[in-house]
């Protein structure tokens, strides 16, 4: 059923795009899966505000948060078919599209800092990765930040052994699957919009999120413990339908690029404070006990997760991994 809806949406979008120019504004449907009061939620609204301002109303941006229009496993197809014009999926969700190189961002503890992240995303590797989307009919526009992930569950997860046999929800990434298996857990890929319910009903035992996602989706209310592990990272690729983007009048595209650059700075500047505030709110709620891992416990996680690198090097690409690690080293040494 959903595929027909996507195709119909695409046909409608195409029919509208031609002569409507003469009649009305260019409409950009910007769909995403998180809540509005998150780094990505606020970033997309900032883009809307600036895009409409800089194009003097030649463009109207309709933002659809919380998977209102499409869920995780549908939104990329909807973009490729032109049913929506823009998305900002997690970097962990391009594997099913055949662009598995982005999963390098999912390797455990690969990013020691936001500085290292910027070195990668703002540098040649960041550009190269976005370029891999073009043959899929997708234009990469920017990297938006969320933050480092915590684990959550209904039992304390201090040592790798504590994960044994737990069903843990993950994004659609083979690297995250390998991560959970290396910890002895059972990975379950699931759309973001379904996670709260799955945790509340026990379909899964736990999951991993930056605090802004855990809090805004109320997952802390159904997870007795939140472990401050910083074991991985969630960030986004802001993307557009390539045919739509390349087909824009040059002046309009230039103004949208300006809006995107400013919305990117805005979203990345607020990401850390959004997550700090969310973690404070989780603590204040008293619903989920926040556990800070000791250095020994973190070292045990790192040791248990080392095999993921060997296992996943061929998947993300030996050269991609080497280039990523070189960029990271260049800011840590
Ligand atoms: C997730 O599925 O956990 C995240 O990618 C959701 C998001 O877009 O932050």
């Amino acid at each position: 059923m959903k595929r027909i809806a996507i195709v119909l949406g695409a046909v409608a979008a195409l029919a509208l795009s031609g002569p409507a120019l003469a009649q009305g504004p260019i409409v950009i449907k910007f769909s995403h899966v998180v809540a509005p009061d998150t780094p990505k939620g606020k970033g997309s609204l900032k883009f809307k505000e600036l895009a409409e301002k800089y194009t003097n109303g030649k463009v109207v941006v309709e933002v659809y948060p919380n998977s209102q229009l499409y869920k995780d496993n549908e939104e990329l197809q909807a973009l490729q078919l032109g049913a929506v014009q823009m998305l900002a999926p997690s970097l962990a969700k391009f594997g099913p599209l055949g662009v598995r190189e982005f999963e390098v961002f999912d390797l455990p503890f690969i990013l020691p800092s936001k500085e290292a992240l910027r070195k990668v995303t703002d540098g040649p590797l960041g550009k190269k990765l976005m370029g891999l989307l073009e043959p899929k009919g997708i234009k990469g526009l920017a990297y938006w930040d969320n933050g480092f992930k915590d684990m959550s569950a209904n039992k304390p997860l201090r040592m790798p052994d504590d994960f044994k046999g737990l069903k843990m929800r993950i994004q659609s990434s083979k690297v995250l699957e390998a991560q959970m298996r290396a910890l002895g857990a059972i990975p379950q890929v699931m759309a973001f919009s379904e996670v709260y319910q799955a945790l509340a009903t026990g379909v899964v035992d736990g999951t991993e999120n930056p605090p802004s996602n855990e809090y805004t989706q109320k997952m802390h209310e159904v997870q007795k413990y939140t472990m401050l592990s910083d074991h991985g990272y969630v960030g986004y690729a802001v993307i557009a339908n390539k045919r739509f983007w390349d087909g824009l009048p040059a002046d309009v595209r230039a103004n949208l690029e300006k809006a995107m650059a400013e919305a990117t700075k805005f979203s990345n500047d607020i990401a850390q404070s959004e997550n700090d505030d969310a973690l404070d709110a989780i603590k204040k709620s008293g619903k989920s006990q926040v556990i800070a891992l000791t250095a020994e416990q973190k070292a045990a996680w790192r040791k248990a997760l080392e095999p993921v690198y060997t296992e996943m090097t061929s998947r993300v690409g030996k050269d991609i991994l080497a280039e990523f690690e070189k960029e990271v080293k260049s800011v840590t040494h």
Side-chain angles (χ1 to χ4, degrees):
M1 180 52 205
K2 197 67 187 190
R3 178 168 170 83
I4 296 170
I6 295 174
V7 172
L8 285 175
V11 172
L14 268 178
L16 273 178
S17 66
L21 261 182
Q23 288 141 13
I26 297 167
V27 177
I28 292 181
K29 286 189 169 65
F30 192 154
S31 174
H32 68 78
V33 301
V34 296
D37 52 342
T38 56
K40 174 160 67 177
K42 292 182 179 178
S44 59
L45 293 171
K46 178 56 78 176
F47 174 72
K48 170 182 169 61
E49 174 202 325
L50 297 173
E52 293 176 355
K53 179 175 151 201
Y54 293 152
T55 64
N56 291 319
K58 278 189 191 159
V59 169
V60 168
V61 180
E62 299 170 353
V63 177
Y64 297 91
N66 277 322
S67 307
Q68 275 174 12
L69 270 189
Y70 299 107
K71 292 184 182 175
D72 280 320
N73 49 356
E74 301 155 348
E75 61 174 12
L76 280 165
Q77 194 185 24
L79 184 82
Q80 289 178 303
L81 290 169
V84 292
Q85 287 66 44
M86 287 178 67
L87 302 173
S90 158
L91 301 167
K93 294 177 179 169
F94 288 97
L97 195 68
V99 188
R100 48 183 71 181
E101 290 83 352
F102 277 103
E103 292 181 14
V104 67
F105 285 93
D106 292 332
L107 287 163
F109 298 107
I110 195 168
L111 282 169
S113 66
K114 290 288 174 78
E115 199 196 351
L117 167 74
R118 295 276 175 271
K119 196 77 184 15
V120 173
T121 54
D122 298 353
L125 180 56
K127 237 199 203 70
K128 182 194 284 184
L129 289 169
M130 285 294 201
L132 298 174
L133 296 171
E134 303 248 337
K136 308 285 177 185
I138 295 174
K139 177 83 184 164
L141 300 176
Y143 288 94
W144 284 2
D145 187 12
N146 189 337
F148 291 105
K149 292 184 281 189
D150 300 327
M151 290 282 188
S152 64
N154 287 320
K155 57 177 274 195
L157 305 176
R158 292 190 173 87
M159 293 298 279
D161 279 358
D162 298 330
F163 284 81
K164 268 210 173 19
L166 290 186
K167 288 173 287 177
M168 298 294 282
R169 182 268 172 175
I170 56 165
Q171 303 169 81
S172 54
S173 159
K174 296 290 182 207
V175 169
L176 295 178
E177 218 174 285
Q179 168 200 283
M180 290 301 184
R181 290 196 197 292
L183 292 167
I186 303 159
Q188 304 239 343
V189 174
M190 193 177 282
F192 187 64
S193 57
E194 294 162 5
V195 180
Y196 173 83
Q197 205 49 38
L199 291 169
T201 56
V203 170
V204 290
D205 302 304
T207 187
E208 54 175 5
N209 283 294
S212 62
N213 279 353
E214 180 180 350
Y215 182 69
T216 53
Q217 297 293 319
K218 299 190 182 322
M219 294 186 205
H220 64 295
E221 296 184 357
V222 288
Q223 296 274 263
K224 293 197 180 76
Y225 299 92
T226 297
M227 276 53 68
L228 301 182
S229 46
D230 288 343
H231 65 281
Y233 169 75
V234 169
Y236 310 112
V238 186
I239 56 178
N241 173 292
K242 183 169 168 34
R243 209 163 81 103
F244 168 81
W245 193 260
D246 294 349
L248 288 165
D251 63 321
V252 170
R253 192 171 45 247
N255 281 316
L256 291 180
E257 281 161 356
K258 183 167 181 277
M260 180 51 67
E262 291 178 24
T264 298
K265 183 169 182 339
F266 169 82
S267 180
N268 291 347
D269 285 352
I270 63 166
Q272 190 57 53
S273 58
E274 289 287 317
N275 280 292
D276 296 343
D277 295 351
L279 185 58
D280 284 350
I282 291 171
K283 286 176 180 165
K284 281 206 189 82
S285 77
K287 298 264 174 65
S288 189
Q289 185 186 332
V290 175
I291 297 175
L293 298 181
T294 63
E296 295 71 36
Q297 289 163 343
K298 263 200 181 164
W301 285 45
R302 281 175 186 277
K303 187 139 187 36
L305 291 167
E306 266 165 22
V308 177
Y309 280 74
T310 331
E311 198 186 332
M312 288 291 132
T313 297
S314 59
R315 180 169 174 82
V316 301
K318 203 157 161 273
D319 302 345
I320 297 278
L321 178 55
E323 207 175 329
F324 198 110
E325 290 181 325
K326 191 177 106 252
E327 295 283 30
V328 168
K329 274 205 188 81
S330 70
V331 293
T332 51
H333 281 68

